[in-house]
Amino acid sequence: KPQIGYITKSCLLLLQVHGILRRSSSFNTGRIEHLYKNPQTHTEGKMKLHYGDLTDSTCLVKIINQVKPTEIYNLGAQSHVKISFDLAEYTANVDGVGTLRLLDAIKTCGLTNSVKFYQASTSELYGKVQEIPQKETTPFYPRSPYGAAKLYAYWIVVNFREAYNMFSVNGILFNHESPRRGSNFVTRKISRSVAKIHLGQLESFSLGNLDSKRDWGHAKDYVEAMWLMLQQEEPEDFVIATGEVHSVREFVEKAFKRVGKTIVWEGKDEQEVGRCQETGVVHVNVDPKYFRPTEVDFLQGDSTKAYQRLGWKPKVTFEELVKEMVDADVELMKKNPNA
């Protein structure tokens, strides 16, 4: 999930995308460089970037007033669940109150009746799940500062929809991955590490809860669902998921299988290791530092409503997703082992 909020301004023959970019002392646009007109010189084409921050309401008002967008996709967040326990106040400020700042900026600019607003909600709202699978009517029970902040964001979106008749929707997206996933998220950590091991650049890596189960889909499928939500006549909230559940352990096994290695598990709990059946080398360890203070053990989404109302269903399978991520990281590490 990128740290950029996207604003689109659409005309009959032109689509312009405006992004809000946090200032950094180093380049932080690596995952969107292919969208530049000239990636070497960072020359902008139909994508325009504006310096701003979800903690700065003044800049949000200025940007929205200048661009006067027709669609706003709020994808900006401190989105790492484990890190949210260490940065709880910041997470609340960006993920929770930041959403309010955006909505209020739309209202301040007098665009309540012309802008369609998408909020990147999350399956972490369900946390300690109250029913399986989870759908739009399932009660929320967040289990992290991230989930709690996103819960505020969810309800403030609903409130602006009901109070001001704004076209504002929540997309409750379950885990969505791709080769552009951030390096410290578990799926990308696995694909990067497996690639390095395959190329002889690494021997082993550590993970937390191997038995945590998630509903993983491909980001490109989910972005299509986001867009579809804003093309409807009436604003509604939707769960977006594959309906399939896989464990972290299974993701590891599939990733290693892609490079011709079979992982067998030995030991229990913190002493458990993943050993290569072919070579006997231990490639996976368990480290308690990656455990969450309150764990979310099982997430499985029911996107029946999205299928019925939007005609949406996922196209990329779990196996195809793992294959794409591992293959991409093998190519990346061949070019730059320090990537």
Side-chain angles (χ1 to χ4, degrees):
K1 192 174 288 183
Q3 300 296 317
I4 297 177
Y6 289 104
I7 301 174
T8 66
K9 185 176 183 180
S10 52
C11 304
L12 285 176
L13 298 175
L14 173 68
L15 175 66
Q16 252 194 350
V17 178
H18 293 255
I20 298 176
L21 173 68
R22 284 181 294 128
R23 195 269 165 188
S24 172
S25 58
S26 57
F27 285 117
N28 57 355
T29 56
R31 283 181 281 174
I32 58 168
E33 280 183 352
H34 61 290
L35 298 176
Y36 283 111
K37 185 176 182 180
N38 186 332
Q40 281 70 43
T41 60
H42 284 199
T43 302
E44 297 174 348
K46 291 183 179 180
M47 176 184 71
K48 307 289 184 182
L49 297 180
H50 306 258
Y51 281 111
D53 200 291
L54 286 171
T55 64
D56 186 340
S57 56
T58 302
C59 80
L60 296 177
V61 171
K62 286 180 180 177
I63 294 167
I64 290 173
N65 190 55
Q66 174 190 344
V67 175
K68 291 186 170 51
T70 54
E71 297 179 355
I72 295 180
Y73 296 82
N74 180 25
L75 312 181
Q78 189 303 101
S79 58
H80 197 288
V81 178
K82 175 66 168 65
I83 292 173
S84 77
F85 286 94
D86 301 316
L87 298 176
E89 182 181 341
Y90 174 75
T91 302
N93 191 12
V94 174
D95 301 12
V97 183
T99 304
L100 170 62
R101 292 188 186 103
L102 265 178
L103 291 166
D104 211 37
I106 295 169
K107 183 168 170 282
T108 299
C109 293
L111 300 175
T112 305
N113 297 322
S114 58
V115 168
K116 291 186 174 183
F117 181 86
Y118 172 87
Q119 167 63 14
S121 202
T122 170
S123 58
E124 289 288 331
L125 292 178
Y126 298 117
K128 189 175 181 179
V129 297
Q130 302 299 292
E131 67 175 346
I132 298 173
Q134 297 88 54
K135 52 184 181 289
E136 290 81 5
T137 56
T138 302
F140 299 133
Y141 195 140
R143 296 266 284 172
S144 65
Y146 170 75
K150 284 287 192 175
L151 182 64
Y152 173 83
Y154 174 93
W155 284 116
I156 202 64
V157 166
V158 173
N159 182 251
F160 267 67
R161 182 167 70 215
E162 295 176 351
Y164 307 112
N165 202 31
M166 183 184 291
F167 194 111
S168 55
V169 303
N170 289 288
I172 308 174
L173 272 56
F174 281 62
N175 295 63
H176 40 291
E177 317 293 326
S178 85
R180 294 197 185 104
R181 183 55 130 161
S183 301
N184 62 343
F185 287 82
V186 67
T187 50
R188 187 74 195 290
K189 182 178 181 179
I190 293 169
S191 64
R192 282 169 52 86
S193 300
V194 168
K196 284 179 176 287
I197 290 169
H198 173 61
L199 297 172
Q201 300 168 0
L202 184 73
E203 183 172 292
S204 66
F205 63 102
S206 299
L207 296 170
N209 184 2
L210 294 171
D211 294 313
S212 182
K213 294 181 174 62
R214 292 292 184 270
D215 184 330
W216 277 301
H218 198 295
K220 64 183 179 183
D221 286 342
Y222 288 43
V223 170
E224 180 191 20
M226 289 161 43
W227 178 80
L228 285 170
M229 289 180 211
L230 295 197
Q231 311 316 308
Q232 305 308 300
E233 291 297 321
E234 298 294 330
E236 290 187 85
D237 303 325
F238 290 91
V239 163
I240 301 298
T242 69
E244 289 186 18
V245 177
H246 302 275
S247 65
V248 173
R249 185 188 303 274
E250 188 178 349
F251 200 105
V252 171
E253 293 167 356
K254 295 282 187 185
F256 273 107
K257 186 177 180 182
R258 179 61 186 164
V259 297
K261 291 181 179 288
T262 305
I263 293 296
V264 292
W265 302 98
E266 301 172 1
K268 291 182 63 177
D269 302 324
E270 296 172 17
Q271 281 70 49
E272 187 169 12
V273 298
R275 190 183 300 276
C276 177
Q277 188 176 59
E278 290 79 12
T279 64
V281 176
V282 171
H283 289 317
V284 186
N285 296 285
V286 173
D287 191 332
K289 77 177 183 180
Y290 296 117
F291 293 160
R292 299 180 188 177
T294 43
E295 185 58 76
V296 174
D297 296 311
F298 186 97
L299 291 173
Q300 180 182 24
D302 178 358
S303 53
T304 301
K305 179 182 175 184
Y307 177 70
Q308 293 175 341
R309 306 279 181 88
L310 307 177
W312 180 88
K313 60 181 178 179
K315 300 179 182 70
V316 181
T317 66
F318 176 71
E319 288 75 15
E320 290 169 341
L321 171 64
V322 177
K323 174 181 177 294
E324 181 183 341
M325 291 182 69
V326 172
D327 289 354
D329 275 327
V330 167
E331 291 305 309
L332 176 65
M333 299 310 164
K334 281 180 181 177
K335 296 175 186 174
N336 180 11
N338 296 320

